[in-house]
Short mmCIF file of all heavy atoms in Angstrom, two decimals:
data_model
loop_
_atom_site.label_atom_id
_atom_site.label_comp_id
_atom_site.label_asym_id
_atom_site.label_seq_id
_atom_site.Cartn_x
_atom_site.Cartn_y
_atom_site.Cartn_z
N SER A 193 95.17 -41.91 -67.74
CA SER A 193 94.35 -42.64 -68.69
C SER A 193 93.23 -41.77 -69.23
O SER A 193 93.01 -40.65 -68.77
CB SER A 193 93.75 -43.88 -68.03
OG SER A 193 92.68 -43.53 -67.19
N GLY A 194 92.50 -42.33 -70.17
CA GLY A 194 91.37 -41.62 -70.73
C GLY A 194 90.06 -41.93 -70.02
O GLY A 194 88.99 -41.61 -70.53
N HIS A 195 90.13 -42.58 -68.87
CA HIS A 195 88.91 -42.95 -68.13
C HIS A 195 88.89 -42.22 -66.78
O HIS A 195 88.60 -42.81 -65.75
CB HIS A 195 88.84 -44.46 -67.92
CG HIS A 195 88.98 -45.24 -69.20
ND1 HIS A 195 87.96 -45.34 -70.11
CD2 HIS A 195 90.01 -45.92 -69.70
CE1 HIS A 195 88.37 -46.08 -71.14
NE2 HIS A 195 89.60 -46.44 -70.92
N GLY A 196 89.24 -40.95 -66.83
CA GLY A 196 89.45 -40.20 -65.61
C GLY A 196 88.28 -40.15 -64.66
O GLY A 196 88.45 -40.33 -63.45
N ALA A 197 87.07 -39.92 -65.16
CA ALA A 197 85.91 -39.74 -64.27
C ALA A 197 85.65 -40.97 -63.43
O ALA A 197 85.46 -40.89 -62.21
CB ALA A 197 84.68 -39.38 -65.10
N ALA A 198 85.63 -42.14 -64.06
CA ALA A 198 85.35 -43.38 -63.33
C ALA A 198 86.46 -43.68 -62.34
O ALA A 198 86.20 -44.10 -61.20
CB ALA A 198 85.20 -44.53 -64.31
N LEU A 199 87.70 -43.43 -62.74
CA LEU A 199 88.82 -43.73 -61.85
C LEU A 199 88.89 -42.74 -60.69
O LEU A 199 89.27 -43.11 -59.58
CB LEU A 199 90.12 -43.73 -62.64
CG LEU A 199 90.27 -44.90 -63.61
CD1 LEU A 199 91.47 -44.70 -64.53
CD2 LEU A 199 90.41 -46.22 -62.85
N LYS A 200 88.53 -41.49 -60.95
CA LYS A 200 88.52 -40.51 -59.87
C LYS A 200 87.49 -40.86 -58.81
O LYS A 200 87.70 -40.64 -57.62
CB LYS A 200 88.27 -39.11 -60.43
CG LYS A 200 89.47 -38.54 -61.19
CD LYS A 200 89.14 -37.24 -61.89
CE LYS A 200 90.35 -36.72 -62.65
NZ LYS A 200 90.05 -35.48 -63.41
N ALA A 201 86.37 -41.43 -59.24
CA ALA A 201 85.36 -41.88 -58.28
C ALA A 201 85.91 -42.99 -57.40
O ALA A 201 85.61 -43.07 -56.20
CB ALA A 201 84.11 -42.36 -59.02
N LYS A 202 86.75 -43.84 -57.97
CA LYS A 202 87.37 -44.91 -57.18
C LYS A 202 88.35 -44.35 -56.16
O LYS A 202 88.49 -44.90 -55.06
CB LYS A 202 88.06 -45.90 -58.12
CG LYS A 202 87.10 -46.72 -58.97
CD LYS A 202 87.83 -47.76 -59.80
CE LYS A 202 86.84 -48.60 -60.59
NZ LYS A 202 87.49 -49.65 -61.41
N VAL A 203 89.04 -43.28 -56.53
CA VAL A 203 89.94 -42.63 -55.56
C VAL A 203 89.15 -42.19 -54.34
O VAL A 203 89.56 -42.42 -53.19
CB VAL A 203 90.65 -41.42 -56.20
CG1 VAL A 203 91.46 -40.66 -55.15
CG2 VAL A 203 91.57 -41.86 -57.33
N LEU A 204 88.01 -41.57 -54.56
CA LEU A 204 87.19 -41.10 -53.44
C LEU A 204 86.68 -42.26 -52.60
O LEU A 204 86.62 -42.16 -51.36
CB LEU A 204 86.00 -40.29 -53.96
CG LEU A 204 86.29 -38.86 -54.42
CD1 LEU A 204 84.99 -38.20 -54.87
CD2 LEU A 204 86.93 -38.05 -53.29
N ALA A 205 86.31 -43.37 -53.25
CA ALA A 205 85.81 -44.53 -52.50
C ALA A 205 86.91 -45.12 -51.62
O ALA A 205 86.67 -45.48 -50.46
CB ALA A 205 85.29 -45.58 -53.47
N THR A 206 88.12 -45.21 -52.15
CA THR A 206 89.24 -45.74 -51.36
C THR A 206 89.58 -44.79 -50.23
O THR A 206 89.84 -45.22 -49.09
CB THR A 206 90.46 -45.96 -52.27
OG1 THR A 206 90.11 -46.87 -53.31
CG2 THR A 206 91.63 -46.53 -51.48
N LYS A 207 89.60 -43.51 -50.51
CA LYS A 207 89.86 -42.50 -49.48
C LYS A 207 88.83 -42.61 -48.35
O LYS A 207 89.18 -42.56 -47.16
CB LYS A 207 89.83 -41.10 -50.11
CG LYS A 207 89.88 -39.94 -49.11
CD LYS A 207 89.80 -38.61 -49.86
CE LYS A 207 89.67 -37.44 -48.89
NZ LYS A 207 88.36 -37.41 -48.21
N SER A 208 87.58 -42.76 -48.71
CA SER A 208 86.51 -42.86 -47.71
C SER A 208 86.68 -44.11 -46.85
O SER A 208 86.49 -44.07 -45.63
CB SER A 208 85.15 -42.88 -48.41
OG SER A 208 84.11 -43.04 -47.48
N LEU A 209 87.05 -45.22 -47.47
CA LEU A 209 87.24 -46.46 -46.72
C LEU A 209 88.41 -46.33 -45.75
O LEU A 209 88.34 -46.80 -44.61
CB LEU A 209 87.46 -47.63 -47.67
CG LEU A 209 87.68 -49.00 -47.02
CD1 LEU A 209 86.52 -49.37 -46.10
CD2 LEU A 209 87.88 -50.08 -48.10
N PHE A 210 89.49 -45.69 -46.19
CA PHE A 210 90.63 -45.47 -45.30
C PHE A 210 90.20 -44.66 -44.08
O PHE A 210 90.55 -45.00 -42.94
CB PHE A 210 91.75 -44.74 -46.05
CG PHE A 210 92.97 -44.47 -45.20
CD1 PHE A 210 94.01 -45.39 -45.15
CD2 PHE A 210 93.06 -43.32 -44.43
CE1 PHE A 210 95.12 -45.16 -44.34
CE2 PHE A 210 94.17 -43.07 -43.63
CZ PHE A 210 95.20 -44.00 -43.59
N GLU A 211 89.45 -43.60 -44.30
CA GLU A 211 89.04 -42.73 -43.20
C GLU A 211 88.07 -43.44 -42.25
O GLU A 211 88.16 -43.28 -41.03
CB GLU A 211 88.43 -41.45 -43.76
CG GLU A 211 89.46 -40.58 -44.46
CD GLU A 211 88.85 -39.40 -45.20
OE1 GLU A 211 87.59 -39.30 -45.23
OE2 GLU A 211 89.61 -38.61 -45.77
N HIS A 212 87.16 -44.23 -42.81
CA HIS A 212 86.23 -44.99 -41.98
C HIS A 212 86.99 -46.00 -41.12
O HIS A 212 86.71 -46.14 -39.91
CB HIS A 212 85.21 -45.70 -42.87
CG HIS A 212 84.20 -46.50 -42.10
ND1 HIS A 212 83.13 -45.93 -41.45
CD2 HIS A 212 84.12 -47.84 -41.86
CE1 HIS A 212 82.42 -46.87 -40.84
NE2 HIS A 212 82.99 -48.03 -41.08
N SER A 213 87.94 -46.69 -41.71
CA SER A 213 88.72 -47.68 -40.97
C SER A 213 89.60 -47.02 -39.92
O SER A 213 89.78 -47.55 -38.81
CB SER A 213 89.58 -48.51 -41.93
OG SER A 213 88.78 -49.19 -42.87
N LEU A 214 90.13 -45.85 -40.25
CA LEU A 214 90.94 -45.12 -39.28
C LEU A 214 90.10 -44.72 -38.08
O LEU A 214 90.55 -44.82 -36.92
CB LEU A 214 91.55 -43.88 -39.95
CG LEU A 214 92.51 -43.04 -39.11
CD1 LEU A 214 93.67 -43.87 -38.58
CD2 LEU A 214 93.03 -41.85 -39.94
N ALA A 215 88.88 -44.30 -38.32
CA ALA A 215 87.98 -43.96 -37.22
C ALA A 215 87.69 -45.19 -36.36
O ALA A 215 87.67 -45.10 -35.12
CB ALA A 215 86.67 -43.38 -37.77
N ASN A 216 87.48 -46.32 -37.00
CA ASN A 216 87.23 -47.56 -36.24
C ASN A 216 88.42 -47.94 -35.37
O ASN A 216 88.25 -48.38 -34.23
CB ASN A 216 86.90 -48.70 -37.20
CG ASN A 216 85.44 -48.72 -37.60
OD1 ASN A 216 84.64 -47.93 -37.12
ND2 ASN A 216 85.09 -49.62 -38.51
N LEU A 217 89.62 -47.80 -35.91
CA LEU A 217 90.81 -48.13 -35.14
C LEU A 217 90.97 -47.19 -33.94
O LEU A 217 91.41 -47.59 -32.87
CB LEU A 217 92.06 -48.06 -36.02
CG LEU A 217 92.22 -49.19 -37.04
CD1 LEU A 217 93.33 -48.86 -38.03
CD2 LEU A 217 92.51 -50.53 -36.36
N LEU A 218 90.59 -45.95 -34.12
CA LEU A 218 90.76 -44.95 -33.06
C LEU A 218 89.75 -45.10 -31.94
O LEU A 218 90.10 -45.00 -30.76
CB LEU A 218 90.67 -43.54 -33.66
CG LEU A 218 91.97 -43.00 -34.26
CD1 LEU A 218 91.67 -41.84 -35.19
CD2 LEU A 218 92.91 -42.55 -33.15
N ILE A 219 88.49 -45.32 -32.29
CA ILE A 219 87.44 -45.31 -31.26
C ILE A 219 86.82 -46.68 -31.03
O ILE A 219 86.01 -46.84 -30.12
CB ILE A 219 86.35 -44.28 -31.62
CG1 ILE A 219 85.67 -44.62 -32.95
CG2 ILE A 219 86.94 -42.89 -31.67
CD1 ILE A 219 84.59 -43.63 -33.37
N GLY A 220 87.20 -47.67 -31.86
CA GLY A 220 86.65 -49.01 -31.72
C GLY A 220 85.26 -49.11 -32.34
O GLY A 220 84.58 -48.11 -32.56
N ASP A 221 84.88 -50.34 -32.62
CA ASP A 221 83.54 -50.61 -33.18
C ASP A 221 83.15 -52.01 -32.75
O ASP A 221 83.50 -52.99 -33.39
CB ASP A 221 83.57 -50.49 -34.71
CG ASP A 221 82.19 -50.63 -35.34
OD1 ASP A 221 81.28 -51.14 -34.66
OD2 ASP A 221 82.02 -50.23 -36.50
N ALA A 222 82.44 -52.09 -31.62
CA ALA A 222 82.09 -53.39 -31.06
C ALA A 222 81.26 -54.22 -32.03
O ALA A 222 81.45 -55.44 -32.14
CB ALA A 222 81.32 -53.20 -29.75
N ALA A 223 80.37 -53.57 -32.77
CA ALA A 223 79.52 -54.31 -33.71
C ALA A 223 80.33 -54.96 -34.81
O ALA A 223 79.99 -56.05 -35.29
CB ALA A 223 78.49 -53.36 -34.31
N ALA A 224 81.44 -54.31 -35.20
CA ALA A 224 82.30 -54.86 -36.25
C ALA A 224 83.45 -55.68 -35.67
O ALA A 224 84.30 -56.17 -36.42
CB ALA A 224 82.86 -53.72 -37.10
N GLY A 225 83.48 -55.84 -34.34
CA GLY A 225 84.54 -56.61 -33.71
C GLY A 225 85.88 -55.91 -33.69
O GLY A 225 86.94 -56.56 -33.63
N VAL A 226 85.90 -54.58 -33.72
CA VAL A 226 87.14 -53.80 -33.71
C VAL A 226 87.40 -53.31 -32.29
O VAL A 226 86.57 -52.60 -31.71
CB VAL A 226 87.07 -52.61 -34.68
CG1 VAL A 226 88.38 -51.83 -34.66
CG2 VAL A 226 86.75 -53.10 -36.10
N ILE A 227 88.55 -53.67 -31.74
CA ILE A 227 88.89 -53.26 -30.38
C ILE A 227 89.27 -51.78 -30.35
O ILE A 227 89.77 -51.24 -31.33
CB ILE A 227 90.05 -54.10 -29.82
CG1 ILE A 227 91.32 -53.95 -30.68
CG2 ILE A 227 89.65 -55.56 -29.69
CD1 ILE A 227 92.54 -54.64 -30.11
N PRO A 228 89.02 -51.10 -29.22
CA PRO A 228 89.51 -49.72 -29.08
C PRO A 228 91.04 -49.72 -29.09
O PRO A 228 91.69 -50.76 -28.98
CB PRO A 228 88.97 -49.29 -27.71
CG PRO A 228 87.89 -50.27 -27.38
CD PRO A 228 88.27 -51.56 -28.04
N VAL A 229 91.63 -48.54 -29.19
CA VAL A 229 93.09 -48.43 -29.20
C VAL A 229 93.66 -49.12 -27.96
O VAL A 229 93.31 -48.76 -26.83
CB VAL A 229 93.52 -46.95 -29.21
CG1 VAL A 229 95.03 -46.84 -29.19
CG2 VAL A 229 92.96 -46.25 -30.44
N PRO A 230 94.54 -50.11 -28.14
CA PRO A 230 94.97 -50.92 -26.99
C PRO A 230 96.11 -50.33 -26.17
O PRO A 230 96.28 -50.73 -25.02
CB PRO A 230 95.40 -52.24 -27.64
CG PRO A 230 95.83 -51.86 -29.02
CD PRO A 230 94.97 -50.69 -29.42
N THR A 231 96.92 -49.42 -26.73
CA THR A 231 98.06 -48.87 -25.98
C THR A 231 98.22 -47.39 -26.31
O THR A 231 97.82 -46.93 -27.38
CB THR A 231 99.38 -49.59 -26.34
OG1 THR A 231 99.75 -49.25 -27.70
CG2 THR A 231 99.25 -51.10 -26.20
N PRO A 232 98.86 -46.64 -25.40
CA PRO A 232 99.13 -45.22 -25.69
C PRO A 232 100.03 -45.04 -26.91
O PRO A 232 99.89 -44.06 -27.64
CB PRO A 232 99.82 -44.72 -24.41
CG PRO A 232 99.38 -45.67 -23.34
CD PRO A 232 99.23 -47.00 -24.01
N GLU A 233 100.97 -45.99 -27.12
CA GLU A 233 101.88 -45.88 -28.27
C GLU A 233 101.12 -45.96 -29.59
O GLU A 233 101.36 -45.19 -30.52
CB GLU A 233 102.95 -46.97 -28.21
CG GLU A 233 103.95 -46.84 -27.07
CD GLU A 233 103.41 -47.33 -25.72
OE1 GLU A 233 102.30 -47.93 -25.69
OE2 GLU A 233 104.08 -47.12 -24.71
N ILE A 234 100.18 -46.89 -29.66
CA ILE A 234 99.38 -47.02 -30.88
C ILE A 234 98.49 -45.81 -31.05
O ILE A 234 98.31 -45.30 -32.17
CB ILE A 234 98.57 -48.33 -30.84
CG1 ILE A 234 99.51 -49.54 -30.96
CG2 ILE A 234 97.52 -48.36 -31.95
CD1 ILE A 234 98.83 -50.88 -30.82
N ASP A 235 97.92 -45.33 -29.95
CA ASP A 235 97.09 -44.14 -30.02
C ASP A 235 97.87 -42.96 -30.60
O ASP A 235 97.36 -42.24 -31.47
CB ASP A 235 96.58 -43.79 -28.62
CG ASP A 235 95.62 -42.60 -28.64
OD1 ASP A 235 94.50 -42.76 -29.14
OD2 ASP A 235 96.01 -41.53 -28.16
N ALA A 236 99.10 -42.78 -30.14
CA ALA A 236 99.92 -41.66 -30.64
C ALA A 236 100.21 -41.81 -32.13
O ALA A 236 100.20 -40.82 -32.88
CB ALA A 236 101.23 -41.60 -29.85
N GLN A 237 100.45 -43.04 -32.56
CA GLN A 237 100.72 -43.28 -33.98
C GLN A 237 99.50 -42.97 -34.82
O GLN A 237 99.60 -42.35 -35.89
CB GLN A 237 101.14 -44.73 -34.19
CG GLN A 237 102.53 -45.08 -33.70
CD GLN A 237 103.61 -44.49 -34.59
OE1 GLN A 237 104.12 -43.40 -34.32
NE2 GLN A 237 103.96 -45.19 -35.64
N LEU A 238 98.34 -43.41 -34.36
CA LEU A 238 97.12 -43.17 -35.12
C LEU A 238 96.79 -41.67 -35.20
O LEU A 238 96.30 -41.19 -36.23
CB LEU A 238 95.95 -43.93 -34.51
CG LEU A 238 96.02 -45.46 -34.63
CD1 LEU A 238 94.89 -46.11 -33.83
CD2 LEU A 238 95.95 -45.90 -36.09
N VAL A 239 97.08 -40.95 -34.13
CA VAL A 239 96.88 -39.50 -34.15
C VAL A 239 97.79 -38.86 -35.20
O VAL A 239 97.37 -37.96 -35.95
CB VAL A 239 97.15 -38.90 -32.76
CG1 VAL A 239 97.18 -37.37 -32.84
CG2 VAL A 239 96.08 -39.35 -31.78
N ARG A 240 99.04 -39.32 -35.28
CA ARG A 240 99.96 -38.81 -36.31
C ARG A 240 99.40 -39.05 -37.70
O ARG A 240 99.46 -38.18 -38.58
CB ARG A 240 101.33 -39.49 -36.19
CG ARG A 240 102.16 -39.10 -35.00
CD ARG A 240 103.48 -39.87 -35.01
NE ARG A 240 104.30 -39.53 -36.17
CZ ARG A 240 105.34 -40.26 -36.56
NH1 ARG A 240 105.67 -41.38 -35.91
NH2 ARG A 240 106.05 -39.89 -37.61
N ILE A 241 98.84 -40.23 -37.91
CA ILE A 241 98.29 -40.58 -39.23
C ILE A 241 97.11 -39.68 -39.57
O ILE A 241 96.98 -39.22 -40.71
CB ILE A 241 97.91 -42.06 -39.27
CG1 ILE A 241 99.17 -42.94 -39.17
CG2 ILE A 241 97.14 -42.40 -40.55
CD1 ILE A 241 98.89 -44.38 -38.81
#
Side-chain angles (χ1 to χ4, degrees):
S193 76
H195 306 285
L199 290 170
K200 287 173 181 177
K202 291 185 177 181
V203 173
L204 283 181
T206 301
K207 171 181 173 290
S208 178
L209 180 56
F210 180 91
E211 292 171 357
H212 180 78
S213 300
L214 184 57
N216 276 356
L217 287 169
L218 276 161
I219 61 181
D221 185 342
V226 181
I227 60 174
V229 179
T231 69
E233 292 79 9
I234 292 175
D235 184 70
Q237 287 288 94
L238 292 173
V239 170
R240 289 179 64 195
I241 293 164

